[in-house]
Amino acid sequence: MERPKTNIRRRDLLRLAVAGAAAAAASTVKPEQAAAQPNLKDKRKARYQANSAEVRNFYRVNSYPAR
């Protein structure tokens, strides 16, 4: 009785190891970390305020010389 010849190449073994590691890493992600919904209200909020103290201080300190 002959045994079937099965050859496992190094590349196939490496692919199997990488696929196993990827599957293990993917299964450790918690559902609440996977896809947090962005808050669109904060995203659309205006952040630049032209009359704020920081902006006035910037233009006061970094003023260009008069021509």
Side-chain angles (χ1 to χ4, degrees), residues 22-61:
S27 66
T28 60
V29 176
K30 295 181 181 176
E32 57 268 3
Q33 292 175 345
Q37 294 294 327
N39 190 354
L40 296 178
K41 195 173 199 178
D42 288 338
K43 191 174 182 177
R44 292 183 183 128
K45 183 173 65 172
R47 287 172 176 76
Y48 178 76
Q49 297 175 355
N51 204 14
S52 68
E54 291 87 5
V55 173
R56 284 187 274 135
N57 189 33
F58 173 82
Y59 284 108
R60 181 183 59 81
V61 172

